[in-house]
């Protein structure tokens, strides 16, 4: 198998883009990545997207995006794994290059979710859960994470406020990222006043929806010796429903995918300088840190309290705002994470730049942990 | 309408019919035909008692389409006495009453209405166990 490199990065700022449709957002990010790479044509396009069919009345996004980019005839297909869609598209792009089947691949994550009513958007997102045994009970995605967070607090003796360092770090870092949806730091007082969405989760322990698209141009590493290299790439799955897990406080798919990625890369947690994790909810950030070997079980929140997740900490996370402040256009998120990690490795992260990042890891979570995608990158 | 979908789930919704593993005896709900413990086929039907305890709980304030008129409502992970954990709404109690470990029992209630002229979907919810009150 050939080693894969990231030659170009393109991002659309996460916003409410009233003037851009799902196809325009995807094409904007795709063109930006092509321009960044100095490449005009590709052999394949993989698009990550979750809700286009339901919220935008548009499926077949592979062909839609190829058409919008003027690349008629090219092989193109959409990958869907709920919030893990873009990470899954990246994985397919890597397989296509590594296998020798393709020489240049464009991977694009896109989501357009701000033009529908709140109940419609919530219902569309909830389709990532078990239709017959979770959704039919009226539980939402926030609700599922609230159930996990309450149990986490109960088993390990935390208060709701103990999770605040995740939100404070994300918002402080998002303020330095021009593509972030929210660009103001928040105070502890702001956190405390956050409206409860699904007890114990308040607005500040949940990420915002948004419109966005992020893209990467992938090539064989042998053709781009100075580009950021992909050291590890792995997807793992778990039971779809939270209630079917032997231990709802353990992300088994995270453990499996990170162990596979560590093995491919020949590295371990101590070698990771930056971790762009999936903080759709603060409790997911804690569980991800634990599953990936940065904290013992139940210690993920403590790690945040100790400041280890800050830009100058032992394992910085959400360096450009994370899902919490950059925003969470669900099917695009996995590629925002990889785009941000790439910019950090290249020293192109601007005000959000972290010094000394040699190896970065990203983890993209679909649903409440049923699909988890891990990537490890090196400059 | 999805009539056949709701008809197909009636044994689970109204009676908590799950399965038991032929190999290791583990009880499964929802039924999934394969054992979560030993991966052996598990297709023998088993009707749960409907007794269990609250494993975790939350209140939904921002409800998805179809449930807007019920908000706020409580949802829990309920650990059934036979082992499995299921997701279900709590009923006949207020927010202040619920706590982790509280004994609960299954009752049949209206889950949602499928629009003005659609069908009314019934299924299991859990209330405080009467024997324990």
């Amino acid at each position: 198998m050939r080693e894969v490199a990231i030659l170009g990065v393109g991002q659309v700022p996460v916003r409410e883009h009233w003037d851009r449709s799902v196809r325009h957002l995807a094409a904007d990010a795709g063109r930006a990545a092509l321009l960044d790479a100095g490449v005009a044509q590709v052999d394949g396009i993989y698009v990550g997207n979750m809700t286009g069919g339901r919220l935008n009345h548009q499926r077949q996004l592979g062909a839609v995006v190829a058409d919008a980019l003027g690349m008629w005839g090219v092989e193109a297909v959409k990958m869907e794994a709920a919030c893990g869609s873009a990470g899954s598209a990246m994985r397919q792009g890597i397989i296509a290059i590594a296998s020798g089947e393709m020489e240049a691949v464009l991977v694009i994550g896109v989501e357009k979710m701000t033009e529908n009513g709140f109940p419609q958007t919530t219902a569309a997102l909830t389709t990532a859960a078990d239709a017959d045994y979770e959704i039919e009970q009226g539980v939402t995605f926030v609700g599922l994470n609230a159930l996990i967070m309450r149990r986490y607090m109960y088993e390990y003796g935390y208060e709701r406020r103990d999770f605040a360092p995740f939100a404070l770090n994300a918002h402080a870092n998002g303020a330095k990222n021009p593509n972030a949806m929210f660009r103001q730091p928040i105070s502890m007082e702001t956190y405390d006043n956050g409206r409860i969405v699904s007890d114990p989760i308040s607005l500040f322990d949940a990420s915002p929806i948004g419109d966005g698209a992020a893209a990467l141009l992938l090539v064989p590493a042998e053709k781009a010796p100075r580009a950021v290299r992909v050291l590890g790439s792995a997807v793992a799955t778990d039971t779809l429903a939270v209630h079917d897990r032997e231990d709802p406080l353990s992300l088994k798919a995270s453990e499996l995918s990170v162990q596979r990625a560590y093995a491919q890369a020949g590295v371990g947690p101590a070698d990771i300088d930056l971790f762009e994790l999936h903080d759709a909810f603060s409790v997911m950030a804690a569980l991800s840190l634990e599953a990936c070997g940065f904290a013992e079980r139940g210690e993920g929140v403590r790690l945040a309290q100790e400041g280890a997740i800050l830009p100058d900490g032992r394992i910085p996370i959400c360096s450009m705002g994370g899902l919490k402040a950059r925003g969470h256009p669900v099917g695009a998120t996995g590629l925002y994470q990889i785009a941000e990690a790439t910019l950090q490795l290249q020293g192109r992260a601007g005000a959000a730049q972290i010094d000394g990042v040699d190896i970065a890891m990203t983890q993209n979570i679909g649903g409440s942990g049923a699909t988890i995608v891990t990537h490890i990158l090196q400059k | 309408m999805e009539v056949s979908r709701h008809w197909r789930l009636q044994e689970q919704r109204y009676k908590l019919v799950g399965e038991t593993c032929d190999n290791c005896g583990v009880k499964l709900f929802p039924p999934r035909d394969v054992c979560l413990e030993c991966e052996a086929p598990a297709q023998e039907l088993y009707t749960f008692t409907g007794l269990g305890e609250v494993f975790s709980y939350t209140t939904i304030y921002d409800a998805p389409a179809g449930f807007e008129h019920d908000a706020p409502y409580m949802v829990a992970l309920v650990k059934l006495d036979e082992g499995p954990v299921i997701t279900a709404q709590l009923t006949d109690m207020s927010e202040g009453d619920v706590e982790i470990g509280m004994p609960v029992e299954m009752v049949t209630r209206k889950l949602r209405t499928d629009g003005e002229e659609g069908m009314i979907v019934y299924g299991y919810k859990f209330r405080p166990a009467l024997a324990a009150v």
Side-chain angles (χ1 to χ4, degrees):
Chain A
M1 297 291 265
R2 301 190 294 182
E3 198 170 38
V4 178
I6 299 170
L7 196 58
V9 176
Q11 298 179 72
V12 169
V14 182
R15 302 280 187 269
E16 290 192 27
H17 286 286
W18 295 358
D19 57 339
R20 303 302 271 168
S21 71
V22 65
R23 86 169 62 197
H24 291 121
L25 291 168
D28 290 347
R31 271 191 216 98
L34 290 165
L35 189 67
D36 192 41
V39 168
Q41 263 302 337
V42 299
D43 302 314
I45 302 172
Y46 294 99
V47 179
N49 175 263
M50 178 185 176
T51 64
R54 183 146 166 169
L55 295 182
N56 314 131
H57 317 288
Q58 187 64 71
R59 286 210 169 89
Q60 209 181 163
L61 285 181
V64 167
V65 172
D67 188 1
L69 286 169
M71 291 186 179
W72 303 283
V74 73
E75 178 173 336
V77 68
K78 180 190 83 173
M79 316 300 304
E80 191 275 315
C83 324
S85 297
S88 302
M90 175 73 176
R91 170 80 180 136
Q92 291 307 309
I94 288 168
I95 290 171
I97 299 280
S99 65
E101 187 73 18
M102 296 186 187
E103 295 300 315
V105 168
L106 188 58
V107 291
I108 305 179
V110 63
E111 205 74 52
K112 170 97 188 139
M113 40 198 327
T114 66
E115 55 197 4
N116 305 81
F118 191 87
Q120 283 69 38
T121 307
T122 302
L125 289 173
T126 308
T127 58
D130 187 311
D132 289 340
Y133 293 101
E134 289 182 320
I135 301 176
E136 217 35 73
Q137 295 296 322
V139 74
T140 57
F141 246 88
V142 190
L144 287 169
N145 282 274
L147 291 168
I148 294 171
M149 181 171 166
R150 171 145 4 238
R151 186 71 196 185
Y152 189 98
M153 291 162 60
Y154 173 81
E155 285 200 17
Y156 305 130
Y158 289 108
E159 301 290 324
R160 197 173 74 77
R161 298 184 94 222
D162 294 331
F163 290 76
F166 288 111
L168 267 60
N169 173 61
H171 280 285
N173 297 344
K176 298 178 242 169
N177 175 10
N179 291 316
M181 189 158 177
F182 295 128
R183 302 193 59 202
Q184 293 98 29
I186 61 161
S187 65
M188 195 63 207
E189 188 185 355
T190 309
Y191 177 87
D192 281 337
N193 292 332
R195 180 175 72 87
I196 297 290
V197 189
S198 190
D199 192 29
I201 290 181
S202 83
L203 278 180
F204 292 104
D205 285 311
S207 54
I209 62 166
D211 302 336
L216 299 175
L217 195 284
L218 307 178
V219 294
E222 68 213 23
K223 291 192 179 167
R226 294 169 63 189
V228 165
R229 292 177 304 138
V230 179
L231 297 186
S233 169
V235 180
T237 54
D238 196 355
T239 64
L240 185 64
V242 173
H243 58 228
D244 279 334
R245 298 188 191 146
E246 187 181 357
D247 178 6
L249 298 185
S250 163
L251 291 177
K252 201 172 273 182
S254 170
E255 281 176 34
L256 286 172
S257 75
V258 84
Q259 290 306 332
R260 289 172 196 166
Y262 282 153
Q264 290 168 16
V267 302
D271 301 307
I272 306 298
D273 303 312
L274 167 70
F275 184 19
E276 289 300 337
L277 52 66
H278 194 96
D279 58 325
F281 301 93
S282 301
V283 68
M284 276 290 138
L287 296 184
S288 199
L289 284 166
E290 293 168 20
C292 294
F294 298 105
E296 294 295 316
R297 195 189 142 90
E299 296 290 319
V301 170
R302 191 113 41 230
L303 194 73
Q305 289 176 309
E306 290 164 1
I309 62 166
L310 299 173
D312 61 353
R314 180 163 68 78
I315 182 66
I317 66 169
C318 308
S319 70
M320 300 187 78
L323 280 61
K324 179 76 205 79
R326 175 234 300 124
H328 184 26
V330 289
T333 288
L335 281 168
Y336 275 101
Q337 295 175 310
I338 300 172
E340 290 160 359
T342 302
L343 294 177
Q344 288 283 6
L345 288 165
Q346 294 170 327
R348 294 202 291 164
Q353 185 64 47
I354 293 176
D355 294 332
V357 182
D358 182 48
I359 298 180
M361 185 161 82
T362 66
Q363 189 163 76
N364 186 202
I365 302 182
S368 44
T371 306
I372 301 195
V373 190
T374 307
H375 283 98
I376 300 177
L377 314 173
Q378 185 173 31
K379 69 178 168 191
Chain B
M1 289 286 281
E2 302 179 338
V3 174
S4 59
R5 176 186 172 208
H6 297 301
W7 169 82
R8 186 166 72 237
L9 292 166
Q10 60 181 311
E11 293 288 299
Q12 285 71 47
R13 294 253 178 88
Y14 306 152
K15 290 194 281 187
L16 284 182
V17 175
E19 288 168 335
T20 179
C21 174
D22 304 337
N23 183 42
C24 73
V26 156
K27 306 285 192 294
L28 301 164
F29 192 92
R32 52 167 51 239
D33 300 347
V34 59
C35 179
L36 276 169
E37 286 287 324
C38 71
E39 298 174 21
Q43 290 179 310
E44 193 179 325
L45 297 180
Y46 174 82
T47 304
F48 284 79
T49 59
L51 300 174
E53 63 174 48
V54 174
F55 182 83
S56 190
Y57 62 94
T58 185
T59 302
I60 308 281
Y61 295 97
D62 295 324
F67 294 89
E68 302 103 308
H69 303 302
D70 300 324
Y73 52 90
M74 286 189 288
V75 173
L77 290 174
V78 172
K79 187 167 177 55
L80 299 172
D81 282 357
E82 294 92 336
V85 174
I86 70 173
T87 305
Q89 286 189 31
L90 296 176
T91 187
D92 299 12
M93 64 178 103
S94 56
E95 232 176 301
D97 299 338
V98 60
E99 59 182 18
I100 290 177
M102 173 182 189
V104 288
E105 63 187 14
M106 177 247 185
V107 287
T108 302
R109 291 293 159 84
K110 184 165 84 176
L111 290 179
R112 66 180 172 88
T113 306
D114 197 4
E116 287 276 306
E117 295 174 5
M119 56 192 288
I120 298 171
V121 181
Y122 288 89
Y124 50 81
K125 293 188 184 182
F126 284 78
R127 70 179 177 195
L130 291 182
V133 169

